[in-house]
Amino acid sequence: MKAFLETYQSDILYALGVIAGVLILHFATNLLYKWLVRQEQKKYPGESPKAIGWIRRILNALWLVLGIILLSFLFVNEEKYDALQHNFNLILYLGIVSILTIVGAASANMWFRSSIRKKIANLEDPTSFKFLRYVAVIGIYSIGVLFALLAFPSLKGVAQTALGGAGVLALIAGVASQEALANLVGGVFIISFKPFRIGDIIKVTDTMVGTVTDITLRHTVIRNFENKMIVIPNAIINKEKLINYDLGELKICDRIEIGISYDSDIDLAKKIMQEECTKHPLILDNRSELDVLDGQPIVRVALTSLNDSSVTIRAWVWARDYTDSFDMRCDLLESIKKRFDNEGIEIPFPYRTLVFKNTATEPQAAEENPEKKDKKA
């Protein structure tokens, strides 16, 4: 036993040193993780430390793999030393690149999120910052991947060309699909020309109305009034004809249309609609000074069309914004319907007249087929 220890003493000390080093690095990594979490919570309260958690996992895995490689030197001959040394350098390089990439992307993401919160607090538009956050994070990860490719001889030429400058765009254009590029260009157009911004209420179709919550590299997210998230690719929404209720003036004119029967009193129906609209608390007086002096009413009511079984009366009402307009419209439809019922104004059901025409061939067919005639009778 003594002879064995004397023979392999240096190897045993080497192995114990490697194991102790791995354990110390593992312990130091966990301490660093806890310290970074506390610092992040102080500087960015409410943020989730996911990036720091990934860094801890990568470092712990890196120490373990490197330790195994260092221990492997004890069991291989000198011919395989170069291969082990190459693997050690490769894994160390990839680990460092991964950590630097995650740290850079997380730092950029937190800075942008902090800036976005400040802009929202100062009532400024955060749309550009939200879009640039995705560009910065994806750009950092892309550069990290390219640097990682430099470690592999077969892919080194591709990485060097891409990192050289114009190769980045060529690489992205070659790898990405046409749809992805169209969405990216659509997002850039939305940010540049600003047909809508974060927080605007827009209407794409009758079923897609809501508040813009996010604009990413690929899609635009809308939260509708049912609290459902609608995800629309940028290439599609960039070509749609949409209504932005928050672009320019916020005030909005809504049309309250109700059809009444031909036998109902039109003047009474117009008076009821005007009274109900005028007394609503959300009504906005949009009259000019000249209109007030001329005695123009706050709400204009007129007969707009003569239909098959009804006449349509329309009231033009103004509201402060889209939200008030929607609430006011619901209230007015209910209150006007109740007033119409009390005052005897009829809102007719649709009438449909069916005409059954007897052809000249029916009697002859009945004579030829008596059973069919008896059944008809």
Side-chain angles (χ1 to χ4, degrees), residues 223-242:
R223 184 189 298 275
N224 66 8
F225 296 104
E226 297 176 355
N227 203 35
K228 300 293 190 303
M229 305 302 288
I230 304 174
V231 180
I232 308 174
N234 290 331
I236 295 177
I237 197 171
N238 196 47
K239 296 185 293 185
E240 288 288 338
K241 297 178 180 178
L242 55 86

Side-chain angles (χ1 to χ4, degrees), residues 120 183 207:
I120 294 175
N183 290 327
T207 59

Side-chain angles (χ1 to χ4, degrees), residues 131-235:
F131 186 80
L132 290 175
R133 183 185 68 173
Y134 295 107
V135 175
V137 172
I138 291 179
I140 293 172
Y141 277 118
S142 300
I143 293 174
V145 171
L146 292 177
F147 272 105
L149 294 178
L150 292 174
F152 302 94
S154 59
L155 301 174
K156 190 174 181 179
V158 177
Q160 288 177 341
T161 302
L163 290 171
V168 176
L169 296 178
L171 181 64
I172 295 175
V175 176
S177 64
Q178 182 179 0
E179 182 181 358
L181 288 176
N183 290 327
L184 176 60
V185 173
V188 173
F189 283 169
I190 291 172
I191 296 300
S192 302
F193 299 103
K194 290 183 172 58
F196 53 83
R197 299 170 299 178
I198 303 294
D200 286 356
I201 298 176
I202 65 173
K203 177 180 180 181
V204 183
T205 63
D206 290 336
T207 59
M208 288 192 290
V209 184
T211 304
V212 180
T213 61
D214 201 1
I215 302 173
T216 69
L217 296 177
R218 180 188 176 276
H219 54 257
T220 297
V221 183
I222 301 174
R223 184 189 298 275
N224 66 8
F225 296 104
E226 297 176 355
N227 203 35
K228 300 293 190 303
M229 305 302 288
I230 304 174
V231 180
I232 308 174
N234 290 331

